[in-house]
Amino acid sequence: MPPRELTLYTFAMSHFCEKIRWTLDLCNLPYVEVPMTPVFHLYSAWRMGGRGRTSLPILKVVARQSPTDFIQDSTRILSWLDRELGPCDLMPRCSLSEEVSAIEDRFDRIGQDVSRLLYAHAFQHDDKVLRFWGSSATPWQRQCLKASLPLVRWVFRRRLGLSRNGLRRADHQLQQALAWLDGRLSDGRTFLVGSRLTVADVAAASLLAPLACPEQHPVFSQADFKRYMLPGSATWLNDRPALRWVRRMYAEHRNALTEGAAATA
Ligand SMILES: N[C@@H](CCC(=O)N[C@@H](CS)C(=O)NCC(=O)O)C(=O)O
């Protein structure tokens, strides 16, 4: 197979980007991370993704004598990695693979609810949002973000569905997912599927990391993140098996955080 250069476009604070960063690290695949600034990412992400969407992560793949490829969306990136650079131990090709995919899918949906919960709370503290968003911004980008934040906040609230009903639904779904995970772990298992780490664990742990705030993550572990992004009113977030398991996954399997994720540290 020809050598390929991988570039991962991310936001430092994105848990979906963390899912891919962690997978690449675990698979020992070298890559360059390019942290982007929210809002300023829109045009490039839309152009690179080529799917009418602006979300990150996006993986750029450069191979000699082949056109440059851009893969947008964490699940599509995982499939590409498995297909083109696999097999990888994280993605078993056996009877367990359907269960692994189903859990990854479940937590992808929950990842959006995690974002809703965080931003509904965080938009009460504009200066903190600006600090987290602006970690890799140039000074003028920071100025623009500051000036346009009221408009950006309005658009963001609509895109994420931060209405009262939207939030009630997100809260309910999150509680259900955490209860499901508490139950899954209640037999004392270490991994969600089978007897070794798979993308089911990486997806669940990374997408819940903003709630569990593992100390290995340079953004989610910050005191300001916990104080201003996490709603203290959500008592169901209190210490519980699901969140303890996320911290354990980080403590035992996450040791190669790159500069992009550390941009705000
Ligand atoms: N289904 C997507 C979701 C990714 C996602 O929601 N990314 C957020 C950051 S956490 C994003 O890029 N939001 C900005 C945008 O969509 O323009 C995936 O799995 O990659």
Side-chain angles (χ1 to χ4, degrees):
M1 188 175 307
R4 310 186 193 203
E5 280 170 26
L6 304 180
T7 305
L8 184 64
Y9 293 87
T10 63
F11 294 131
M13 201 171 82
S14 160
H15 46 344
F16 283 98
C17 296
E18 166 67 356
K19 176 179 152 191
I20 298 303
R21 199 190 278 124
W22 192 351
T23 302
L24 291 171
D25 290 340
L26 283 167
C27 294
N28 287 321
L29 290 168
Y31 62 99
V32 173
E33 180 166 357
V34 179
M36 304 191 89
T37 301
V39 180
F40 293 92
H41 77 290
L42 287 168
Y43 179 65
S44 329
W46 175 79
R47 237 186 57 173
M48 286 191 287
R51 308 160 64 231
R53 299 187 190 178
T54 57
S55 65
L56 300 182
I58 293 177
L59 185 69
K60 175 179 162 192
V61 184
V62 180
R64 221 172 286 147
Q65 292 171 346
S66 306
T68 299
D69 219 353
F70 292 95
I71 305 122
Q72 184 177 41
D73 187 280
S74 61
T75 302
R76 296 177 74 241
I77 296 174
L78 289 183
S79 308
W80 185 90
L81 289 173
D82 189 37
R83 199 176 56 245
E84 300 291 329
L85 305 182
C88 164
D89 285 350
L90 282 180
M91 301 174 225
R93 287 180 188 165
C94 60
S95 54
L96 299 178
S97 65
E98 267 180 33
E99 210 180 349
V100 169
S101 297
I103 293 179
E104 192 226 328
D105 189 50
R106 172 190 285 261
F107 282 95
D108 275 359
R109 276 178 277 123
I110 289 307
Q112 301 293 358
D113 292 321
V114 170
S115 299
R116 291 187 181 100
L117 188 83
L118 296 180
Y119 280 107
H121 183 63
F123 279 139
Q124 296 162 20
H125 309 281
D126 284 357
D127 55 324
K128 302 297 173 193
V129 173
L130 281 174
R131 186 169 87 71
F132 285 115
W133 280 11
S135 60
S136 43
T138 59
W140 81 264
Q141 284 179 329
R142 226 168 273 143
Q143 283 303 322
C144 284
L145 263 183
K146 192 171 176 185
S148 59
L149 199 65
L151 175 66
V152 171
R153 195 195 309 121
W154 184 83
V155 173
F156 218 79
R157 291 186 74 90
R158 292 192 155 241
R159 277 182 74 171
L160 271 179
L162 299 186
S163 62
R164 193 173 299 178
N165 274 345
L167 280 173
R168 205 175 296 138
R169 221 175 9 250
D171 185 272
H172 178 68
Q173 281 162 188
L174 256 169
Q175 291 197 49
Q176 278 191 328
L178 289 172
W180 177 87
L181 190 50
D182 286 346
R184 183 97 181 174
L185 299 167
S186 62
D187 59 5
R189 69 177 68 210
T190 304
F191 302 113
L192 296 182
V193 181
S195 55
R196 60 169 201 236
L197 191 76
T198 66
V199 291
D201 304 297
V202 173
S206 52
L207 292 166
L208 292 176
L211 307 182
C213 304
E215 64 186 49
Q216 293 74 14
H217 195 287
V219 179
F220 305 149
S221 61
Q222 287 182 42
D224 268 4
F225 182 89
K226 293 181 205 168
R227 186 167 330 143
Y228 299 108
M229 301 291 295
L230 266 188
S233 57
T235 47
W236 48 267
L237 267 181
N238 287 345
D239 209 25
R240 57 191 296 163
L243 299 185
R244 282 201 295 275
W245 173 83
V246 172
R247 289 183 205 111
R248 181 173 163 202
M249 286 294 111
Y250 266 82
E252 293 177 5
H253 301 282
R254 186 78 183 107
N255 51 12
L257 274 162
T258 52
E259 279 172 28
T264 52

